[in-house]
Amino acid sequence: MTTALDKPPAHAAPARTGDARTLVDAVFRAREAAIGGALVLLVLGTWIANPAFLDSQGVKDLLLNASILVLLAVGQSVVVVTRNIDLSVGSVVGLTAFTCGDFVSGSSHGPVVTMLLGIAVGALCGLVSGALVSLGKVPALVVTLGMLYVLQGVDYALAEGGQINAVNLPEAVLSLGSGSVLGIPYLPLIAALVLAATAYYLRTYRSGRELYAIGSSPEAARLAGIPIRRRVLAAYVFSGAVAGLAGALWLARFGTVVAGAATGWELTVVSAVVVGGVAITGGTGSVWGAALGALLLTTISGALVVLKVDPFWEQAITGALLILAITADRVVQVRTTNALRKRSRR
Amino acid sequence: MSPLAKLLRWDSVVGALLVAVFLVGTGTTDGFADTANLSAALNDIAEVALIALPMTLLVVAGQVDLSVASMLGLSSALAGSLWDAGWAFELIVPVCLLVGALGGLLNGWLVTRVGLPSLAVTIGTLALFRGLASVVLGTKAVADFPESYAQWATYTQTVPGTFIPYPVALFAVLAVVAAVVLHGAGFGRSLFAIGAQEDAAYFAGIRVKRIKLALFVVSGTVASFAGIVYTLRYGSARADNGFGLELVVIASVLLGGIDFDGGKGTLGGAVAGVLLVGLLRNLLTLNDVSSEIQVVVTGVLLIASVLTPRLVAVLTERRHRRAATEPVP
């Protein structure tokens, strides 16, 4: 990997860059380790308080609940890394869940067709958002907020007040949501596959690294000859496609879908990404972190239920943890910067 | 700026659209221009309009507050539970406003002292405030507010001699205040400076942190006040009041030509954006257009609001370039 990103900053003494880079690497690895650690502590603590939390049904529920959020977080972080945002994902999930449900209801289509349809519809939504953002050169937040409304409206208009019922869905589609292979349910398996593939791509491929370069400094990326428009467009198409897949899985998992399903999820997804250490200002973070963030948020709500914490407290606790996480991240960041500055001065 | 360029600015376009919607509505729809309908239409967007004012100042300064609708809910839940506990309404209002100010202080502190991006901070407090709202009131609804209080917020009661309901009148007053703050004094220029280039503003001697903190406090306070208006208007205090309203407020402000990247926009544009959304929705409702289509219209308008100035810029640039390359006859 020899992208602009890996080059040492100009003011650092050449002999020390190896040092500095290891330190930065260590800190970011520590960042994900910290979320992972918090997750382990949370799971252990809850398990000690109530062993039912980790029986096979408990684990299954936890994984099933997390899968869709993990998928969305993976897609979102690819966009956020480029210093953009996709607020329309909640609407995309709702729309694809409904379209897929409508398409397969009363038919004999299988899960593969459902997922492919979801991916296609989602990618189309992402293409529109991405084209508006990258070709129109306009703020992503405004465009995707607009898309949120447009897609939500389309979803409601398609539904015409009706809903998708589980009884009309082919058995094969429903079994995608409830079935498992070797004891592992399909949903987390799919989420893990997408996660691993995305992580591998972002780390290994030149175009993946370029997404980080774009987020770190769009101007520098442009001067370095990176095709910014094409990369950002691709990031949105990917985010849309993954959200579409999530919509298809949503249908398989819940069976019954009303129009406007998953509305309001966009902010939960952004929360998961931010908790996972993907900076909202672009350029840093990994999909592993984002997935851990999603898992952490899901586990917190699961644990609160098992611990019989008043459900009214759930959201307040989630909010407080989110603030805590970004504060901790910031503190670590400031410390690293200071440490690096000290090293380069020596 | 040439007069033509000024006319083509997006906030002027929104103003023109607003007038067009009004004229079309008056011409095509019976009852649209009735004072009773206009009162209702304006009052329907009272909370969005109120919150949009501090939001405009925030966005001009390059910040955003996504926690406003949750603060509205928290304030409503608090008002409900205190009323349930037998408090006097005259006492409940200042308590709610204080909580709003404290919430804003928390946002502002995290943004200015800890140095976090406001988008991330306020997504956190969005969950936190909404959570606290449900802790305060649970899933209960408190609805036994006396008519003497409710009449201040409903559109049946208007400022004597006019068709303007009290919340709208208050909005009008605050809009003038906000316009003076943003365009009439050095403070407003500081906001534009912060939004355009924060570091430059700092080195120019603008007290960036203090100003940002103040903006968040005002935003929280106004949001909590909107919570009281909302509660009285619907006669119901609930923890989930105003759910999702933050996006409507931001959509209205951005529609009015306030640049989300900060440093650009006019208060008039923001007010026109708020009113445009309100009047358009009312007009569509009167014409039996479903609420789904209304949502789509809002979304399309929002996208158009960022694309149009961009397209105009591209076209102008192209024309200039062509003019420059043309041989002189």
Side-chain angles (χ1 to χ4, degrees), chain A residues 85 132 136-138 141-142 145-150 153 156 267 270-271 280 312-313 315-316 319 322-323 326-327 330, chain B residues 110 114-117 123-128 130-131 134-135 138-139 247-248 254 260 292 295-296 299 302 306-307 310:
Chain A
I85 197 165
L132 289 170
K137 280 196 202 154
V138 288
L141 193 116
V142 188
L145 183 56
M147 283 300 285
L148 181 156
Y149 290 126
V150 171
Y156 276 101
L267 293 182
V270 176
S271 300
I280 206 94
F312 296 134
W313 277 100
Q315 208 180 8
L322 175 60
I323 294 167
I326 50 176
T327 307
R330 171 75 188 168
Chain B
L110 287 166
V114 188
L116 299 167
I123 285 177
T125 49
L126 175 146
L128 179 67
R130 186 65 75 185
S134 68
V135 169
T139 50
L247 295 183
V248 180
L254 297 176
F260 190 73
E292 297 87 72
V295 170
V296 176
L302 191 57
V306 286
L307 275 185
R310 174 77 205 145

Side-chain angles (χ1 to χ4, degrees), chain A residues 262-277:
Chain A
T263 35
W265 268 52
E266 53 281 339
L267 293 182
T268 314
V269 176
V270 176
S271 300
V273 168
V274 169
V275 167

Side-chain angles (χ1 to χ4, degrees), chain B residues 19-31:
Chain B
V19 175
V21 167
F22 184 81
L23 291 179
V24 168
T26 314
T28 60
T29 310
D30 287 338

Side-chain angles (χ1 to χ4, degrees), chain A residues 13-293:
Chain A
R16 304 238 174 244
T17 49
D19 256 16
R21 201 190 303 168
T22 341
L23 182 69
V24 175
D25 273 1
V27 167
F28 281 114
R29 223 170 285 140
R31 168 93 180 102
E32 275 146 34
I35 316 166
L39 189 62
V40 170
L41 277 181
L42 179 70
V43 169
L44 278 182
T46 316
W47 178 59
I48 291 167
N50 186 348
F53 186 58
L54 281 192
D55 65 13
S56 65
Q57 188 56 42
V59 173
K60 213 177 201 175
D61 284 346
L62 207 62
L63 289 177
L64 278 176
N65 289 339
S67 315
I68 290 173
L69 192 58
V70 166
L71 272 179
L72 293 173
V74 168
Q76 185 74 249
S77 39
V78 171
V79 171
V80 172
V81 155
T82 66
R83 205 185 273 193
N84 285 293
I85 197 165
D86 188 355
L87 286 184
S88 69
V89 286
S91 296
V92 173
V93 173
L95 180 63
T96 49
F98 201 92
T99 346
C100 290
D102 204 33
F103 184 72
V104 300
S105 271
S107 75
S108 56
H109 292 296
V112 176
V113 173
T114 315
M115 286 194 284
L116 286 179
L117 179 67
I119 292 172
V121 173
L124 195 65
C125 299
L127 185 69
V128 177
S129 299
L132 289 170
V133 170
S134 66
L135 302 180
K137 280 196 202 154
V138 288
L141 193 116
V142 188
V143 166
T144 57
L145 183 56
M147 283 300 285
L148 181 156
Y149 290 126
V150 171
L151 297 177
Q152 191 183 327
V154 171
D155 186 14
Y156 276 101
L158 283 179
E160 293 173 328
Q163 63 173 42
I164 305 293
N165 291 310
V167 284
N168 297 333
L169 292 178
E171 201 51 49
V173 171
L174 289 174
S175 69
L176 174 67
S178 54
S180 57
V181 55
L182 300 174
I184 307 169
Y186 289 123
L187 258 55
L189 215 55
I190 294 170
L193 273 177
V194 172
L195 169 64
T198 313
Y200 181 76
Y201 166 76
L202 284 180
R203 244 193 114 68
T204 317
Y205 282 78
R206 187 191 172 90
S207 49
R209 304 306 301 166
E210 285 176 354
L211 294 177
Y212 284 89
I214 294 169
S216 297
S217 171
E219 187 57 21
R222 191 180 64 79
L223 293 173
I226 295 173
I228 298 184
R229 288 181 174 187
R230 210 188 319 153
R231 295 282 177 269
V232 170
L233 182 66
Y236 273 97
V237 172
F238 176 73
S239 165
V242 172
L245 176 62
L249 298 184
W250 178 292
L251 172 76
R253 167 125 168 82
F254 298 107
T256 306
V257 177
V258 295
T263 35
W265 268 52
E266 53 281 339
L267 293 182
T268 314
V269 176
V270 176
S271 300
V273 168
V274 169
V275 167
V278 181
I280 206 94
T281 44
T284 60
S286 70
V287 283
W288 294 110
L292 276 176

Side-chain angles (χ1 to χ4, degrees), chain B residues 2-327:
Chain B
S2 74
L4 182 71
K6 205 163 191 173
L7 268 180
L8 279 174
R9 261 176 20 182
W10 178 255
D11 43 0
S12 318
V13 175
V14 173
L17 268 178
L18 182 62
V19 175
V21 167
F22 184 81
L23 291 179
V24 168
T26 314
T28 60
T29 310
D30 287 338
F32 175 74
D34 289 0
T35 53
N37 180 57
L38 288 180
S39 306
L42 289 176
N43 213 36
D44 256 351
I45 51 163
E47 297 86 18
V48 171
L50 285 170
I51 299 174
L53 296 174
M55 188 69 86
T56 303
L57 304 187
L58 274 169
V59 176
V60 164
Q63 309 295 307
V64 70
D65 186 352
L66 288 181
S67 71
V68 283
S70 297
M71 180 48 79
L72 184 154
L74 176 57
S75 164
S76 179
L78 201 61
S81 73
L82 291 179
W83 179 256
D84 228 16
W87 284 45
F89 210 80
E90 292 75 14
L91 253 177
I92 292 176
V93 175
V95 169
C96 286
L97 294 185
L98 185 66
V99 169
L102 286 176
L105 200 61
L106 174 65
N107 283 332
W109 185 80
L110 287 166
V111 169
T112 58
R113 282 301 157 93
V114 188
L116 299 167
S118 57
L119 190 74
V121 165
T122 54
I123 285 177
T125 49
L126 175 146
L128 179 67
F129 297 159
R130 186 65 75 185
L132 289 177
S134 68
V135 169
V136 168
L137 202 60
T139 50
K140 253 194 335 189
V142 179
D144 58 343
F145 298 100
E147 189 55 32
S148 58
Y149 294 115
Q151 68 180 13
W152 289 97
T154 51
Y155 67 90
T156 47
Q157 181 89 1
T158 56
V159 177
T162 67
F163 64 91
I164 299 173
Y166 284 100
V168 179
L170 182 72
F171 164 70
V173 173
L174 289 181
V176 171
V177 172
V180 169
V181 165
L182 190 60
H183 299 298
F187 184 77
R189 273 199 297 281
S190 308
L191 296 186
F192 283 104
I194 295 171
Q197 240 302 342
E198 196 173 314
D199 289 338
Y202 174 78
F203 287 119
I206 294 168
R207 284 185 288 197
V208 174
K209 288 188 176 179
R210 190 177 299 189
I211 290 177
K212 282 207 262 181
L213 189 72
L215 289 179
F216 279 105
V217 172
V218 172
S219 173
T221 313
V222 171
S224 63
F225 185 78
I228 293 166
V229 173
Y230 194 105
T231 308
L232 290 179
R233 198 157 72 82
Y234 289 101
S236 169
R238 292 174 55 95
D240 61 354
N241 271 353
F243 183 82
L245 215 64
E246 65 277 344
L247 295 183
V248 180
V249 173
I250 290 171
S252 307
V253 169
L254 297 176
L255 187 57
I258 310 295
D259 192 334
F260 190 73
D261 288 339
K264 275 180 227 144
T266 61
L267 196 88
V271 170
V274 168
L275 296 181
L276 179 63
V277 171
L279 275 194
L280 200 58
R281 286 209 166 186
N282 177 265
L283 181 61
L284 294 174
T285 309
L286 289 182
N287 286 300
D288 291 327
V289 174
S290 63
S291 58
E292 297 87 72
I293 303 300
Q294 295 184 23
V295 170
V296 176
V297 169
T298 313
V300 170
L301 266 177
L302 191 57
I303 294 173
S305 77
V306 286
L307 275 185
T308 313
R310 174 77 205 145
L311 282 178
V312 169
V314 169
L315 289 178
T316 325
E317 196 186 323
R318 195 166 290 172
R319 200 172 42 201
H320 284 174
R321 207 177 296 155
R322 199 177 306 144
T325 51
E326 257 171 31

